[in-house]
Amino acid sequence: MLNSCAPESTGVVSNAYHNTTAHYNAYFYARERMNEIEESIYNSVNVNYDRILDLYPQFDSTASIAVKNQIEDCVKKASIAIQRHPGSDWADDSYILVGKARYYDLDYVNAIETFKYVNKKSEDEDARHEALVELMKTFVDALEYQNAEAVSDFLKKEKLNKTNSKNLYITRAYLFQKREDYNQMVQNLSEAVPLLTTNEERSRLYYIIGQVYQAIGFDAQAYSSYRNCLKSNPNFDLSFYAKLNIAQVTELSNSSDLKQVRKYFKKLLRDRKNEEFKDKIYYEIANFELKQSNIDEAITNYNKSLRISNNQRQMGYSYLRLGEIYYNDLKNYELAKSYYDSVVSVLPKDEPSYEEIADRQKILADFVTQLNIIREQDSLIVLSNLDTAALGKYVDAYIAQKLLEKEEDDKKRKKNNRSVNRRSTVFDTNTTQINTNLSGSTWYFYNMSAISQGKTEFTRRWGGRPLEDNWRRSDKEQNITDPNSAQVDPTELIASENTSENQGDELIFDRAALVSAVPKNEDDVQAALFKIEEAHFRLGNIYDFDLEEKENAINTFETMLSRFPETAYKPEVMYQLYLLHKEQGNDRSEYFKNALLNEFPRSDFAKIIINPNFRVEDQAATAKLEKIYKQAYEFQEAGNYGDALRLLRNALQEHPENDFSDNLKLLEIIVMGHTEDVYKYQYELNNFISSYTESELLPFAQNLVKTTEEYQVNLFNSSKAKFIKYYDQEHFFVLVYKADKALAEELPGQVQRFYKRDFPKKRLTTANLILDVDNSIVMVNEFATKDEAMEFYSGFKESGIEEKFPTTEFSTFVITKDNFKIFYETKELDSYIKFFVDNY
């Protein structure tokens, strides 16, 4: 009883009045509304007997909104009992109803406060304990597990009545179910069983205990629990699934036991009451055979289940099992992919493992895509060697074969659609006429008022169910297709749901399109080979990281290196092969380690082998360089170019090959643009472009070069160039040629190879610049003296490089740093050629 503020003068008579009135009026109706709420919530839940049943219904806002009126009315009636009958024995019970109503309204905060209030204010120990048990359940659903544990620990010290003890054990089990601690869950359920008072409660709890024992591998205990469930007179669905699960946990000591279990399954199949559950029976037979390692029998029965099932969840389970068999046992990833496609299409997304299944499906889809790319492109390359006539014959034969396959598929689909559409006929409620003129008769069905009242009561209790056999059963799947048909095409049933019979008849095989897909020239062949190379790399990674098929990963990567020895992925592939062979304990790991260190010593993969902490250290260096970049940028913005350059150059010297170094280098060039001549700025930009070919800053650098070149091309200088006769300074070698894209790509390389061969000790660099709209420059810098520059000039003239391009006119000369500035600004090529001849 909650504390009351009522005056003592109310007396015994007043207390009796309040207790009686509160109990049989407001509280009674509030409790009736609560019963309706709980019944509606329970009926809204689709029970999935393939998963461990939830101890309490799992409902969402949709189910809560459906009983919104009842919730509000329950709170209203309970509040009347509290407000109009203060101090009555039913005030605390009414508060508990308010708390439960708020719980079903998903208003956990106020539900928790209400239950806490009852615990604090009530003088009735049983009411307090009931409120605390409800509080614990609310904490569990609010995901406040630590608070739920605190309530549980407190109640351990309390002496509870039988009902509260039962509910406490079940709620503790509910907490452990949410935490997937099945050992603790089953212990608490076992404690609750002796306190149960009805067969309905006992049968359901025994079934859940059996499920838990089966999940954690205690088959003997699971068998005993399922037997107890059947002894407790369960409803039909629970009885059926208990019988089905008994077969899975029956102890098998010899072959006669196997025969007994198979005989038991056949008995279930022959039972006419199980007609609508045959898909589930076949599924469990398949699970049983798979447990005995009879893979072929398992596959056969999963397909039988699919043939007669119209339940998407059950179909999803069968497809999933088949996908797992082809994935884990048979390693047939292409067929596994098809089954996983079907799983994702039909399995409801509320399955706990749905996301994991979807991820597996994506992996297999990617795997099959890469495999098909390799096969298709290899085939196309082979076909490219055929002459036109032979290719035409091949394509015609291919189209004929595909048309034949399509015809067979259409026949299968039509046959399947006819099977799926054969349904059990329900009674037509309009065919039976009732003579309403006999309303005076005593027979029930002549009394229209009684019929109306009965219909209302039926709808309230059972919902809107069609007039048909076995109407009491929920989640029925009616399909009478022959289960002994051939194996199910994993996409066939889905197609039958979504595709009309004639939809595929319009498919046209385009001969011209097929012929045009065949490579016509060497460029097409190279494009096909590039696709094959990329697919090998992706396939190797899928084998390695996703499928964890290490041997297949090794074979795929080694095949890739054999077919594509110059692949851009070579350093990474060699590193992965080093790790894979090392993991397998193979000596070839040393081969790939040494090959990587010798061929790609500056790659990140080589650095990781030399220094396993390279990644960690590199990340630390990156963080340091980011801070330096920010400081240097601030210096530049303030016009403090000297400090900015000093900071950037020191950082680049310390970390020349960090992933962030390109950012510092480009900033250094931009700062240099404020302090150096325009040609030096453009020269450094071109060097950046050639040195950092994979940098994300490349487009920005190229845009800067373009802007500078346009400025130089459009620069107007009307005065005649006046070159300086001062030669005691740095010199450049310059090669001027007519602007041409092909030459711009070829010449710098030719010049670079020349000086690396003939002047290996000199630290020379090459740059490609635009002189004007007609001419471009290859410049080599720099030479300390005039004599060194002329020695290089003479060697170049004798190298024969110019003779390799007989149709191109070249101008070659050496020039001082000062004169190059004048030359580049004025574009006076002829004037400088004369100056060069006269003075060199």
Side-chain angles (χ1 to χ4, degrees):
M1 181 194 302
L2 290 171
N3 294 328
S4 172
C5 296
E8 294 182 3
S9 60
T10 56
V12 176
V13 175
S14 179
N15 285 338
Y17 165 77
H18 284 299
N19 287 335
T20 303
T21 308
H23 183 192
Y24 292 105
N25 283 312
Y27 174 77
F28 172 82
Y29 287 110
R31 188 181 61 190
E32 286 295 300
R33 293 296 174 270
M34 180 54 61
N35 291 338
E36 292 174 10
I37 292 166
E38 292 182 334
E39 184 177 4
S40 176
I41 292 289
Y42 182 83
N43 290 334
S44 71
V45 176
N46 291 322
V47 181
N48 183 0
Y49 291 94
D50 290 292
R51 287 161 39 190
I52 295 175
L53 299 185
D54 292 304
L55 287 166
Y56 293 110
Q58 303 300 289
F59 61 97
D60 56 15
S61 57
T62 303
S64 178
I65 290 171
V67 291
K68 188 74 172 179
N69 291 336
Q70 291 93 319
I71 289 173
E72 291 176 353
D73 195 44
C74 178
V75 172
K76 180 180 178 181
K77 296 293 191 298
S79 298
I80 290 172
I82 295 167
Q83 294 167 4
R84 295 186 183 178
H85 307 287
S88 76
D89 293 344
W90 300 96
D92 40 17
D93 300 274
S94 298
Y95 270 113
I96 291 173
L97 286 179
V98 171
K100 291 175 70 175
R102 287 169 174 168
Y103 165 81
Y104 286 116
D105 198 29
L106 301 178
D107 184 5
Y108 294 142
V109 174
N110 283 314
I112 289 168
E113 290 303 315
T114 304
F115 294 134
K116 285 182 177 179
Y117 179 80
V118 175
N119 176 54
K120 183 178 180 181
K121 298 292 184 179
S122 178
E123 297 176 356
D124 184 341
E125 290 297 307
D126 291 339
R128 288 182 54 250
H129 294 154
E130 181 183 355
L132 287 172
V133 172
E134 293 293 336
L135 175 63
M136 181 180 173
K137 184 172 75 170
T138 307
F139 276 138
V140 172
D141 283 328
L143 306 181
E144 297 182 28
Y145 296 148
Q146 288 185 339
N147 287 335
E149 280 187 354
V151 176
S152 175
D153 291 340
F154 174 79
L155 287 172
K156 285 180 183 179
K157 306 170 186 177
E158 298 286 298
K159 186 176 180 179
L160 278 63
N161 64 25
K162 186 176 179 180
T163 301
N164 286 333
S165 294
K166 174 195 72 174
N167 291 332
L168 175 60
Y169 285 125
I170 294 174
T171 306
R172 279 180 184 156
Y174 183 52
L175 169 62
F176 291 120
Q177 182 179 29
K178 289 292 187 180
R179 288 187 157 180
E180 298 184 357
D181 185 347
Y182 295 123
N183 288 314
Q184 291 290 334
M185 177 184 175
V186 78
Q187 287 179 25
N188 279 278
L189 290 179
S190 299
E191 294 284 352
V193 166
L195 303 173
L196 302 176
T197 56
T198 67
N199 278 336
E200 183 179 2
E201 286 183 315
R202 271 192 290 269
S203 60
R204 187 171 187 274
L205 222 57
Y206 273 129
Y207 182 81
I208 294 174
I209 292 171
Q211 285 185 303
V212 176
Y213 274 131
Q214 187 177 354
I216 60 180
F218 290 87
D219 286 354
Q221 290 84 346
Y223 180 89
S224 176
S225 297
Y226 289 134
R227 296 298 301 178
N228 287 330
C229 171
L230 293 174
K231 292 175 183 177
S232 302
N233 193 26
N235 62 44
F236 180 85
D237 287 0
L238 206 58
S239 173
F240 170 78
Y241 282 97
K243 291 176 182 177
L244 210 54
N245 289 347
I246 279 178
Q248 299 292 355
V249 296
T250 299
E251 184 178 355
L252 304 174
S253 57
N254 51 52
S255 59
S256 64
D257 292 333
L258 287 172
K259 291 179 182 178
Q260 286 297 321
V261 173
R262 290 179 177 128
K263 185 178 179 181
Y264 179 76
F265 277 127
K266 288 180 181 179
K267 181 180 177 182
L268 290 175
L269 286 170
R270 286 195 302 268
D271 191 336
R272 293 185 62 186
K273 293 194 300 293
N274 298 334
E275 185 69 29
E276 297 169 6
F277 292 92
K278 279 189 174 182
D279 58 345
K280 177 62 181 174
I281 298 172
Y282 279 117
Y283 174 78
E284 291 299 334
I285 293 173
N287 287 342
F288 176 79
E289 295 297 345
L290 187 61
K291 194 174 180 181
Q292 313 312 314
S293 299
N294 297 326
I295 292 178
D296 291 340
E297 280 296 316
I299 290 174
T300 298
N301 283 284
Y302 285 131
N303 279 292
K304 285 181 179 180
S305 176
L306 283 168
R307 283 292 176 188
I308 63 174
S309 183
N310 195 36
N311 180 329
Q312 286 197 318
R313 192 181 299 275
Q314 180 57 60
M315 291 168 65
Y317 290 156
S318 296
Y319 279 131
L320 178 59
R321 290 292 192 186
L322 286 165
E324 288 172 344
I325 288 173
Y326 284 103
Y327 182 94
N328 297 319
D329 299 303
L330 303 180
K331 307 299 182 186
N332 186 334
Y333 297 125
E334 291 175 272
L335 195 50
K337 181 261 182 187
S338 296
Y339 282 115
Y340 270 94
D341 286 347
S342 300
V343 177
V344 172
S345 298
V346 302
L347 191 67
K349 291 182 174 58
D350 62 0
E351 280 294 318
S353 58
Y354 184 86
E355 291 300 324
E356 180 183 343
I357 293 168
D359 288 342
R360 178 72 60 88
Q361 182 262 344
K362 290 175 185 176
I363 291 170
L364 289 173
D366 192 12
F367 173 87
V368 173
T369 297
Q370 306 311 319
L371 206 60
N372 288 338
I373 288 172
I374 294 172
R375 292 173 178 172
E376 179 183 319
Q377 297 304 318
D378 272 335
S379 298
L380 291 174
I381 291 173
V382 171
L383 292 176
S384 69
N385 295 319
L386 299 178
D387 59 36
T388 304
L391 178 61
K393 288 181 180 179
Y394 179 89
V395 171
D396 290 340
Y398 172 83
I399 292 175
Q401 177 64 29
K402 289 299 178 183
L403 286 171
L404 184 61
E405 291 175 4
K406 176 183 176 297
E407 185 177 343
E408 292 297 322
D409 288 343
D410 288 344
K411 288 180 181 178
K412 282 184 180 180
R413 184 171 291 112
K414 289 177 181 179
K415 180 180 178 182
N416 184 69
N417 284 344
R418 285 195 296 270
S419 298
V420 169
N421 289 330
R422 287 202 297 265
R423 307 290 184 184
S424 299
T425 306
V426 298
F427 290 107
D428 183 353
T429 57
N430 295 321
T431 59
T432 303
Q433 299 289 330
I434 296 177
N435 188 349
T436 58
N437 294 326
L438 302 177
S439 58
S441 171
T442 58
W443 190 39
Y444 173 83
F445 287 103
Y446 290 160
N447 187 332
M448 299 312 295
S449 176
I451 291 174
S452 177
Q453 184 178 354
K455 183 177 179 181
T456 301
E457 175 62 18
F458 179 91
T459 303
R460 185 190 69 78
R461 183 172 181 184
W462 297 103
R465 300 199 179 191
L467 181 58
E468 59 186 8
D469 291 340
N470 301 311
W471 57 267
R472 287 184 178 85
R473 301 180 194 170
S474 60
D475 195 25
K476 297 185 290 296
E477 308 85 38
Q478 299 184 32
N479 192 308
I480 56 174
T481 307
D482 179 11
N484 296 304
S485 304
Q487 178 168 327
V488 175
D489 179 345
T491 59
E492 183 178 320
L493 291 180
I494 301 171
S496 71
E497 294 288 337
N498 301 317
T499 309
S500 65
E501 289 186 3
N502 298 320
Q503 186 173 342
D505 293 345
E506 299 178 1
L507 180 62
I508 299 174
F509 291 92
D510 191 338
R511 186 179 188 278
L514 292 172
V515 172
S516 66
V518 178
K520 302 295 187 299
N521 49 48
E522 186 59 29
D523 287 343
D524 290 346
V525 171
Q526 290 302 317
L529 287 171
F530 178 75
K531 291 179 182 178
I532 296 171
E533 178 187 341
E534 290 283 326
H536 269 96
F537 182 70
R538 288 280 307 129
L539 200 60
N541 280 316
I542 294 171
Y543 272 130
D544 189 5
F545 300 114
D546 297 324
L547 302 180
E548 296 186 358
E549 290 283 328
K550 304 303 181 181
E551 286 296 333
N552 283 332
I554 289 172
N555 293 335
T556 302
F557 282 136
E558 291 191 350
T559 299
M560 178 182 177
L561 290 182
S562 175
R563 291 192 64 177
F564 308 100
E566 300 302 321
T567 175
Y569 295 114
K570 191 171 184 179
E572 184 173 352
V573 171
M574 292 174 77
Y575 178 70
Q576 286 186 248
L577 282 169
Y578 157 71
L579 293 178
L580 286 165
H581 280 296
K582 185 177 180 181
E583 184 179 335
Q584 299 293 97
N586 299 332
D587 294 337
R588 279 182 65 78
S589 63
E590 286 299 310
Y591 166 79
F592 285 107
K593 171 185 173 181
N594 294 330
L596 177 59
L597 295 177
N598 290 331
E599 292 186 47
F600 305 98
R602 299 181 64 185
S603 68
D604 285 355
F605 302 103
K607 292 173 182 175
I608 293 172
I609 290 178
I610 296 170
N611 176 16
N613 295 323
F614 168 75
R615 288 290 189 196
V616 175
E617 295 173 1
D618 192 56
Q619 289 173 0
T622 299
K624 179 181 177 182
L625 292 180
E626 288 173 350
K627 292 180 180 179
I628 292 173
Y629 180 92
K630 182 180 179 181
Q631 187 177 359
Y633 183 83
E634 291 172 353
F635 280 147
Q636 182 218 206
E637 289 293 290
N640 194 351
Y641 305 125
D643 287 342
L645 288 172
R646 185 162 49 254
L647 196 63
L648 291 167
R649 286 167 180 168
N650 288 339
L652 285 168
Q653 187 175 1
E654 185 178 356
H655 302 286
E657 296 180 358
N658 184 271
D659 289 342
F660 196 73
S661 296
D662 56 338
N663 290 269
L664 272 70
K665 185 62 183 177
L666 188 57
L667 181 59
E668 179 196 12
I669 295 170
I670 292 172
V671 175
M672 192 186 302
H674 295 285
T675 62
E676 298 283 350
D677 299 321
V678 66
Y679 83 90
K680 179 68 172 176
Y681 173 65
Q682 189 177 21
Y683 171 78
E684 292 295 341
L685 284 173
N686 280 290
N687 268 349
F688 177 89
I689 292 169
S690 61
S691 300
Y692 297 92
T693 54
E694 297 182 2
S695 172
E696 295 179 353
L697 300 173
L698 209 58
F700 180 62
Q702 291 168 336
N703 187 58
L704 290 177
V705 170
K706 182 180 179 182
T707 302
T708 307
E709 288 172 347
E710 289 173 351
Y711 168 76
Q712 290 297 323
V713 167
N714 296 324
L715 184 66
F716 176 78
N717 190 333
S718 58
S719 62
K720 187 74 174 178
K722 296 181 181 179
F723 297 104
I724 303 168
K725 295 183 179 182
Y726 172 65
Y727 311 112
D728 190 14
Q729 58 177 296
E730 296 91 343
H731 277 67
F732 305 142
F733 169 81
V734 176
L735 171 65
V736 182
Y737 61 94
K738 292 294 182 181
D740 179 85
K741 183 179 179 181
L743 281 173
E745 294 177 355
E746 177 69 15
L747 271 177
Q750 291 275 358
V751 174
Q752 193 175 53
R753 285 190 289 275
F754 158 68
Y755 68 65
K756 283 186 176 181
R757 183 189 69 233
D758 290 17
F759 298 88
K761 295 183 180 180
K762 293 187 179 296
R763 300 180 64 181
L764 303 174
T765 58
T766 305
N768 199 30
L769 306 175
I770 291 178
L771 180 62
D772 52 34
V773 292
D774 298 319
N775 298 291
S776 295
I777 294 173
V778 175
M779 183 173 73
V780 180
N781 72 338
E782 56 190 31
F783 302 94
T785 65
K786 174 182 177 182
D787 292 340
E788 287 183 10
M790 287 304 296
E791 180 185 1
F792 183 90
Y793 173 82
S794 300
F796 180 83
K797 298 299 286 184
E798 295 172 0
S799 68
I801 291 177
E802 293 174 278
E803 285 73 16
K804 293 180 181 179
F805 307 93
T807 60
T808 302
E809 181 179 346
F810 295 102
S811 297
T812 54
F813 50 84
V814 298
I815 188 169
T816 63
K817 185 175 181 179
D818 289 344
N819 283 335
F820 184 81
K821 178 182 177 181
I822 298 170
F823 165 71
Y824 198 69
E825 289 179 351
T826 62
K827 318 297 183 189
E828 292 286 348
L829 177 60
D830 293 338
S831 296
Y832 185 78
I833 292 294
K834 185 176 184 307
F835 178 86
F836 173 70
V837 171
D838 292 343
N839 295 281
Y840 285 84

